[in-house]
Amino acid sequence: MHMSDAVQINRRRFLGGAALLGGFSPLALQMAATSANAQANSYRALVCLYLDGGLDHYHTLIPCDQTNYAAIVAQRSGINMPQLSALTPVTTRTSQGGRQVAFHPVLTQTKNLYDQGKLAVVYGHGNLDAPVTRADLETGRAKLPWAVGSHNDGNAAIHTFGLEGARYGWGGLAMDSLQASNPDTMFASIGIGNLNNAFSDGRLVRMIKADTRGRATNISGLEGPLFGSSVASAELDAILRRADMTNALDKDYLEVNQRVMSSYRRLGEAFAATQSLAPIPTDTTLPNYAVAWRDNDVAAALRTVVRCIASRATLNVNRQVFFINMRNFDTHGNMANDLEKRNFLRLDAALGYFYAALTSMGLENNVTLFTTSEFGRSLKSNGDGTDHGWGGVSFVMGGAVKGGDIYGNLVDVNPAGPGFLATNGPPISIPTIANQQYCATLASWLGVPDAILPTIFPNLNRFASTKLGFL
């Protein structure tokens, strides 16, 4: 991407977005740009941020009306819960029957985004084959879905809607259906960081990997030594450039490799042109700097996403999906400490950073970030943590999001009530929204036609509403 391809960033928009972070330097954002306003208006991207391990939704959004706060504290002996006086109930446009929740006090920027209408909460969703009630499960009219309580199956249940080991994810399949929107499909699906997830792979579109430092990572040997030898890397390069193949299969194989090699060089050139874009804050006086910024691999991954988006004209794409894996949410022990002093700090800073960067580029309406997790956690503590559950909570963030509201129904914290099921372990939340409804809403916004949605989300038509309305 050359400077002639870029448009200037609106300084006022940048400063408004950066205010979420307490301010950071806009110097390196000068290259974030589009080739034309028309392309900016047509571009759309989804960013999947996977909270790997099972997000504890009751510690993320804490019940804070008097009755339910007392109930959650009673259920979670051994876990250091924030004081009720430290919790600020969120406002909602839809009635929640007097029930209130508050973002954990560490999630300050997340709450700001919610209050500004840029972030929505999808509450009580999980793996469902069809609508189900506690009575259905207890009388045997329905069975627990196969994924409940399993990390690997839960991962598959929200990313592929198949069994563990399924090859194709809904992100990749969505991009398959949108191939006509992309002059070059090579960069339609990009995964950032250390990951292995089927979400991004379709039958035709396959994920390209990049690292958090802005480098393509799928092919070794294209740059630097191969197997420790510069001679080996030169030989690989020579093989991939050969033009004397006569066998049809050899020629096809060579053409594929040459295209991939050329594409990775293009991605490398795009990253080289955006080296100074959207820097991660380096001000050591920022609160909790060492965790929230210096060691924040999620913010670093989102910076790579920003650089890819800024290079969309060079990469010749109008629709994209991205995938990032944020680990260590399997909080069986030391839960409050691990969430509050590490994961929440990193997540909160990363969300604020990303939205500020998008705003500065004038692309906040074109990019939607959403979180996923394999399940929520159990209602009752196991001492100083919580165990695997079922229904949980996700966030959706972006300028196109109808934020400042909770999509789904808050329930009374009562293990004997209709919102919970006691299995062989502690009580778990029964979902009232299916993962497929949640994800189909996102895919529809990306541009997947309504007629195609049931082929990607096979149980979607079993639910009264196929879209949740948060976009």
Side-chain angles (χ1 to χ4, degrees):
M1 181 176 70
H2 301 288
M3 285 301 294
S4 60
D5 296 327
V7 297
Q8 294 296 319
I9 292 174
N10 184 302
R11 182 174 181 273
R12 184 177 301 168
R13 290 173 69 90
F14 168 76
L15 293 175
L20 289 168
L21 306 178
F24 60 84
S25 171
L27 177 63
L29 286 164
Q30 59 185 326
M31 296 188 69
T34 72
S35 61
N37 286 335
Q39 184 180 3
N41 291 333
S42 67
Y43 177 82
R44 287 191 178 185
L46 287 176
V47 181
C48 178
L49 177 55
Y50 178 40
L51 308 182
D52 192 347
L55 173 67
D56 191 298
H57 52 304
Y58 286 114
H59 209 73
T60 306
L61 281 170
I62 302 172
C64 65
D65 57 274
Q66 290 282 350
T67 300
N68 284 301
Y69 179 79
I72 195 71
V73 170
Q75 290 292 322
R76 297 200 154 194
S77 60
I79 296 176
N80 183 27
M81 300 289 292
Q83 294 295 311
L84 183 59
S85 59
L87 301 176
T88 303
V90 301
T91 59
T92 62
R93 293 191 300 273
T94 53
S95 173
Q96 293 292 342
R99 303 174 189 92
Q100 293 181 316
V101 291
F103 286 99
H104 191 283
V106 170
L107 298 171
T108 56
Q109 295 185 56
T110 308
K111 183 180 183 301
N112 286 344
L113 287 162
Y114 179 93
D115 291 343
Q116 294 170 21
K118 308 304 180 184
L119 183 140
V121 173
V122 180
Y123 195 95
H125 74 86
N127 179 40
L128 284 176
D129 299 324
V132 70
T133 66
R134 177 171 180 155
D136 293 333
L137 295 163
E138 290 183 337
T139 60
R141 289 195 299 267
K143 294 182 179 180
L144 283 173
W146 46 265
V148 173
S150 163
H151 285 296
N152 292 344
D153 289 335
N155 181 341
I158 194 166
H159 294 137
T160 72
F161 306 109
L163 299 172
E164 178 187 357
R167 293 180 57 189
Y168 307 121
W170 72 263
L173 293 172
M175 296 315 302
D176 282 351
S177 75
L178 294 170
Q179 282 194 91
S181 299
N182 284 331
D184 190 339
T185 60
M186 179 61 69
F187 304 103
S189 177
I190 299 178
I192 314 296
N194 182 19
L195 53 90
N196 183 20
N197 195 289
F199 164 82
S200 306
D201 284 335
R203 291 181 174 85
L204 303 173
V205 170
R206 304 307 298 269
M207 177 182 69
I208 280 180
K209 292 183 180 180
D211 65 21
T212 58
R213 289 172 288 180
R215 298 183 306 185
T217 60
N218 272 39
I219 302 177
S220 61
L222 292 184
E223 296 181 359
L226 174 64
F227 304 124
S229 168
S230 59
V231 174
S233 61
E235 285 295 319
L236 173 63
D237 185 73
I239 291 171
L240 293 176
R241 292 176 183 275
R242 287 182 60 182
D244 59 349
M245 293 287 190
T246 57
N247 180 280
L249 182 60
D250 289 344
K251 290 177 68 176
D252 286 345
Y253 180 76
L254 184 62
E255 287 173 3
V256 169
N257 279 284
Q258 287 174 337
R259 180 170 180 262
V260 171
M261 180 176 67
S262 172
S263 297
Y264 268 83
R265 285 185 169 136
R266 283 171 54 204
L267 187 58
E269 290 170 359
F271 284 144
T274 56
Q275 287 183 1
S276 58
L277 176 64
I280 303 295
T282 56
D283 181 358
T284 58
T285 65
L286 288 172
N288 303 299
Y289 171 79
V291 175
W293 296 113
R294 188 184 65 195
D295 298 327
N296 197 333
D297 57 333
V298 182
L302 286 170
R303 180 172 184 257
T304 298
V305 171
V306 168
R307 294 169 70 183
C308 290
I309 291 171
S311 305
R312 64 196 178 281
T314 301
L315 302 180
N316 213 13
V317 287
N318 292 316
R319 292 290 187 274
Q320 286 183 290
V321 293
F322 297 89
F323 185 86
I324 298 169
N325 193 356
M326 183 177 183
R327 302 183 187 277
N328 301 317
F329 283 92
D330 194 17
T331 47
H332 288 284
N334 199 31
M335 188 188 80
N337 186 68
D338 286 349
L339 285 182
E340 295 169 18
K341 296 184 178 180
R342 182 162 177 79
N343 275 10
F344 281 172
L345 285 172
R346 293 161 63 222
L347 175 64
D348 190 62
L351 292 179
Y353 159 83
F354 187 58
Y355 191 79
L358 292 176
T359 300
S360 70
M361 298 163 69
L363 288 171
E364 68 275 18
N365 295 331
N366 303 79
V367 181
T368 298
L369 178 147
F370 64 99
T371 66
T372 59
S373 197
E374 54 264 54
F375 42 65
R377 310 295 294 190
S378 61
L379 175 64
K380 187 177 179 62
S381 73
N382 60 20
D384 63 348
T386 54
D387 297 322
H388 298 180
W390 189 4
V393 162
S394 289
F395 299 151
V396 188
M397 182 187 77
V401 174
K402 298 176 184 177
D405 204 5
I406 294 175
Y407 294 80
N409 297 319
L410 301 177
V411 298
D412 289 323
V413 179
N414 176 9
F420 297 91
L421 179 71
T423 58
N424 294 329
I428 57 177
S429 300
I430 300 173
T432 55
I433 294 172
N435 286 341
Q436 297 198 30
Q437 292 173 284
Y438 172 47
C439 299
T441 306
L442 294 158
S444 177
W445 175 83
L446 190 63
V448 176
D450 286 352
I452 300 296
L453 290 176
T455 68
I456 300 175
F457 309 101
N459 294 325
L460 187 61
N461 290 334
R462 296 182 180 180
F463 299 89
S465 174
T466 58
K467 299 173 191 175
L468 300 181
F470 54 78
L471 283 165

